[in-house]
């Protein structure tokens, strides 16, 4: 599909995308059955900070309703080499397990994983996701869902064919390393990634997750004698103990206190507040910041903020760590969020999109000066599975596929197109249900006037076959992180479904 940015002026959603389109999903029916004998209310309140979903009285559940838009009715035909899905009929595939033919997954979660997650799964409809490709996730009851969520992981879609092929090849040869000899896939993956980082960020430390990348950066700062950390309110950097210390959300921090000492929180997009903190911690601070706060509700700072942060860190002798775990790898329509201001941090955190939607992998990338303690002593900070051949094969294939497919440019054009269309769909509700629509690239947030609206709309969209995300540090913001491989038919379906879901949600919220 050729994606063109919108023309100058107001851009309407593409054909079939308006909220009033013929065939738009209607209101949900009274209830839906998640598993035999279990009836789930559809309307509910999602409280992102605590991760709980409280069912509320009202209409329908997260199941198909009469007249609802069925994502399977809009098959897309991929071009050669595309990772988009092949067309699907509305009938479950032969051999697909029906709900009555399988163990009760909710019950297994309840017994072995956790009651909270089991309750959330039940409210969402009790389905289990069993297959994925491109922009789609398939459930065990035969339905498929358009994935505009995934918390930023699937910039390349699910199971990008080039990444899958590379991982298969690595599994067949050497999936895990002895860690005694040198490992060539890690070296090639590091070279490929460093070719796209800001100049001078040449040293790559591969880990297994974004929060581990944050931990590595905090330890690297300590290795330089920088024992004070300055973070931003609303920022999210992970939930392991060190990363949690700089994730400024009391809901997650309080149960695990005391956390790391000497952590200062400053206002985001406020250089004066940052300077005051830096002056109090001269020559002993590490600053960690996101180019756009994703979990903070897609908070976009004023242009020039990152440049000011860089300048202040130099003035006060601080190490600058920029967390691009969610915003990097093309998510903002550039390789990195810092590119918009030509900022070179001392340390760059990478994750999510680096996986290619196939194998978890993340990285801490640093300048030679910043990386020196880890470079001198390779045993100072290690991980058994860090830089595993299978993970690095995925990372290498992802970078190469992004180069070949011009993913970054596509994300920029597609993101502008989606943002313009989402604003048009939400326009009738602005000043009432919707407070603001904002975004950059393929990271888009819809802020609502009331927290309850996020949960209501999420459940409404799920019932109509679309997945989106809440924001852990901003309970009034629903977040869209669509893949760069979305086809026109899928985008039209999303916009039509969003319009219908907003209408239904607004009706319930005002009744």
């Amino acid at each position: 599909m050729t994606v063109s940015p919108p023309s100058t002026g107001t851009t309407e959603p593409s054909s079939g995308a308006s909220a009033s389109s013929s065939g738009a999903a209607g209101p949900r029916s009274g209830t839906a059955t998640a598993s035999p004998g279990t009836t789930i209310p559809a309307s509910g309140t999602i409280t992102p900070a605590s991760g709980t979903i409280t069912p509320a009285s009202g209409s329908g559940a997260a199941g198909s309703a009469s007249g609802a838009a069925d994502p399977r009715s809009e098959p897309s035909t991929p071009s050669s080499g595309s990772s988009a899905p092949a067309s699907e009929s509305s009938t479950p595939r032969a051999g697909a397990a029906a709900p009555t033919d399988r163990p009760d997954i909710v019950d297994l979660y309840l017994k072995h994983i956790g009651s909270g997650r089991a309750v959330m799964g039940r409210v969402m409809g009790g389905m289990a996701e069993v297959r994925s490709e491109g922009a789609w996730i398939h459930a065990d009851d035969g339905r498929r869902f358009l994935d505009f969520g995934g918390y930023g992981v699937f910039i390349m879609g699910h199971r990008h064919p080039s990444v899958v092929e590379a991982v298969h090849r690595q599994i067949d040869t050497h999936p895990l390393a002895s860690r005694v000899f040198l490992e060539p896939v890690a070296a090639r993956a590091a070279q490929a990634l460093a070719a796209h980082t800001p100049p001078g960020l040449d040293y790559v430390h591969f880990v297994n997750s974004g929060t581990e990348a944050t931990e590595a950066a905090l330890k690297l700062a300590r290795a330089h004698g920088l024992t004070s950390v300055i973070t931003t309110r609303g920022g999210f950097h992970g939930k392991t103990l060190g990363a949690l210390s700089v994730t400024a959300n009391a809901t997650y921090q309080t149960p695990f206190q005391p956390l790391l000492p000497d952590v200062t929180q400053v206002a985001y997009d406020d250089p004066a507040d940052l300077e005051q903190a830096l002056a109090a911690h001269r020559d002993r601070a590490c600053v960690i910041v996101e180019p756009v706060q994703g979990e903070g509700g897609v908070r976009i700072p004023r242009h020039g903020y990152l440049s000011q942060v860089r300048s202040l860190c130099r003035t006060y002798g601080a190490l600058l760590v920029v967390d691009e775990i969610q915003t990097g790898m093309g998510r903002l329509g550039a390789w990195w969020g810092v590119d918009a201001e030509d900022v070179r941090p001392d340390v760059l955190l990478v994750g999510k999109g680096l996986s290619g939607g196939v194998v978890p992998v993340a990285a801490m990338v640093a300048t030679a000066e910043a990386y020196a303690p880890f470079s001198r002593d390779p045993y100072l900070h290690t991980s058994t599975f860090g830089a595993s051949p299978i993970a690095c094969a995925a990372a290498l294939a992802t970078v190469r596929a992004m180069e070949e497919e011009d993913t970054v440019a596509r994300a920029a054009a597609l993101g502008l197109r989606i943002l313009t269309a989402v604003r048009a769909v939400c326009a009738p509700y602005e000043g009432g249900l919707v407070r603001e629509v904002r975004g950059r690239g393929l990271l888009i947030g819809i802020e609502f006037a009331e927290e309850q609206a996020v949960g209501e709309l999420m459940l409404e969209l799920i019932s109509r076959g679309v997945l989106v995300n809440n924001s852990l540090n901003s309970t009034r913001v629903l977040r869209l992180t669509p893949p760069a491989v979305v086809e026109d038919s899928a985008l039209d379906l999303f916009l039509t479904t969003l319009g219908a879901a907003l209408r239904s949600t607004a009706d319930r919220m005002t009744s």
Side-chain angles (χ1 to χ4, degrees):
M1 178 188 74
T2 301
V3 179
S4 302
S7 57
T8 303
T10 303
T11 302
E12 296 297 329
S14 52
S15 175
S18 67
S20 60
S21 296
S22 174
R28 294 174 291 181
S29 58
T31 57
T33 303
S35 58
T38 305
T39 301
I40 310 300
S43 177
T45 299
I46 296 181
T47 308
S50 62
T52 60
I53 301 177
T54 305
S57 60
S59 60
S64 293
S66 176
D70 186 346
R72 294 168 297 163
S73 66
E74 295 285 342
S76 56
T77 304
S79 58
S80 177
S82 169
S83 61
S87 60
E88 295 271 341
S89 74
S90 59
T91 305
R93 292 182 303 138
T100 54
D101 297 332
R102 61 175 172 82
D104 187 343
I105 302 300
V106 173
D107 186 55
L108 294 179
Y109 264 77
L110 184 64
K111 291 179 178 178
H112 302 292
I113 294 181
S115 58
R117 190 65 183 86
V119 169
M120 288 177 67
R122 183 175 285 127
V123 170
M124 294 295 184
M127 296 85 68
E129 54 185 83
V130 295
R131 188 165 60 92
S132 60
E133 76 285 306
W136 301 91
I137 289 177
H138 300 257
D140 59 350
D141 63 358
R143 282 182 291 166
R144 72 172 184 169
F145 295 80
L146 180 61
D147 189 7
F148 267 47
Y151 296 98
V153 170
F154 302 103
I155 186 71
M156 304 292 288
H158 292 265
R159 295 196 307 111
H160 189 283
S162 297
V163 183
V164 169
E165 180 184 2
V167 169
H168 273 301
R169 188 165 56 247
Q170 195 63 46
I171 289 174
D172 289 339
T173 55
H174 188 51
L176 294 177
S178 70
R179 306 193 66 81
V180 174
F181 304 119
L182 300 178
E183 204 288 296
V185 183
R188 289 195 291 270
Q191 179 189 37
L193 180 59
H196 293 283
T197 54
L201 277 87
D202 298 323
Y203 286 82
V204 181
H205 179 84
F206 285 110
V207 291
N208 305 292
S209 65
T211 191
E212 290 180 53
T214 303
E215 296 285 350
L218 294 173
K219 288 186 67 178
L220 184 59
R222 289 287 184 96
H224 283 282
L226 305 175
T227 57
S228 298
V229 185
I230 299 173
T231 188
T232 59
R233 286 189 281 276
F236 188 94
H237 307 286
K239 291 181 182 173
T240 53
L241 201 62
L244 181 60
S245 301
V246 294
T247 292
N249 187 325
T251 300
Y252 303 124
Q253 290 183 332
T254 300
F256 304 102
Q257 290 177 337
L259 299 170
L260 289 184
D262 204 3
V263 175
T264 302
Q265 296 180 13
V266 299
Y268 187 65
D269 196 16
D270 189 339
D273 199 18
L274 174 61
E275 183 169 17
Q276 185 176 355
L278 283 168
H281 300 85
R282 183 184 287 272
D283 296 326
R284 58 189 180 91
C286 165
V287 173
I288 184 166
V289 66
E290 298 160 279
V292 173
Q293 288 189 333
E295 295 290 357
V298 192
R299 292 188 62 197
I300 303 171
R302 290 163 292 182
H303 185 77
Y305 170 64
L306 292 176
S307 297
Q308 289 178 285
V309 172
R310 170 73 280 180
S311 178
L312 288 169
C313 286
R314 287 198 183 100
T315 299
Y316 291 95
L319 186 81
L320 175 58
V321 178
V322 175
D323 181 345
E324 297 253 22
I325 292 165
Q326 180 166 179
T327 58
M329 300 296 293
R331 176 57 61 185
L332 299 183
W335 271 97
W336 315 104
V338 295
D339 292 348
E341 298 182 31
D342 292 324
V343 167
R344 190 195 79 169
D346 301 299
V347 177
L348 185 77
L349 306 185
V350 187
K352 294 187 184 292
L354 187 60
S355 68
V358 178
V359 176
V361 61
M364 178 192 73
V365 189
T367 64
E369 182 181 5
Y371 197 72
F374 282 14
S375 184
R376 287 193 300 267
D377 185 351
Y379 295 104
L380 197 59
H381 180 66
T382 59
S383 165
T384 299
F385 294 112
S388 68
I390 186 174
C392 289
L396 176 59
T398 297
V399 173
R400 287 178 174 169
M402 288 182 65
E403 293 169 344
E404 293 169 1
E405 299 174 15
D406 204 8
T407 299
V408 173
R410 180 168 183 162
L414 182 60
L416 183 58
R417 181 178 167 190
I418 294 176
L419 178 62
T420 301
V422 169
R423 281 176 170 160
V425 172
C426 291
Y429 308 96
E430 289 183 359
L433 181 68
V434 176
R435 179 173 291 173
E436 184 184 16
V437 179
R438 55 182 176 265
R440 182 180 295 172
L442 292 173
L443 178 59
I444 297 169
I446 305 174
E447 183 175 351
F448 292 89
E450 296 182 40
E451 183 177 299
Q452 181 186 354
V454 175
E456 294 278 354
L457 188 59
M458 279 189 70
L459 291 175
E460 188 71 43
L461 286 168
I462 289 171
S463 78
R464 298 169 184 271
V466 173
L467 305 182
V468 294
N469 292 141
N470 55 351
S471 298
L472 292 177
N473 281 354
S474 187
T475 56
R476 288 186 171 136
V477 177
L478 183 140
R479 200 156 30 118
L480 310 177
T481 52
V485 299
V486 172
E487 298 287 338
D488 283 341
S489 59
L491 177 54
D492 290 347
L493 173 65
F494 168 74
L495 294 169
T496 301
T497 305
L498 175 63
L502 280 166
R503 281 201 309 275
S504 182
T505 300
D507 289 344
R508 282 200 307 277
M509 295 282 291
T510 56
S511 63

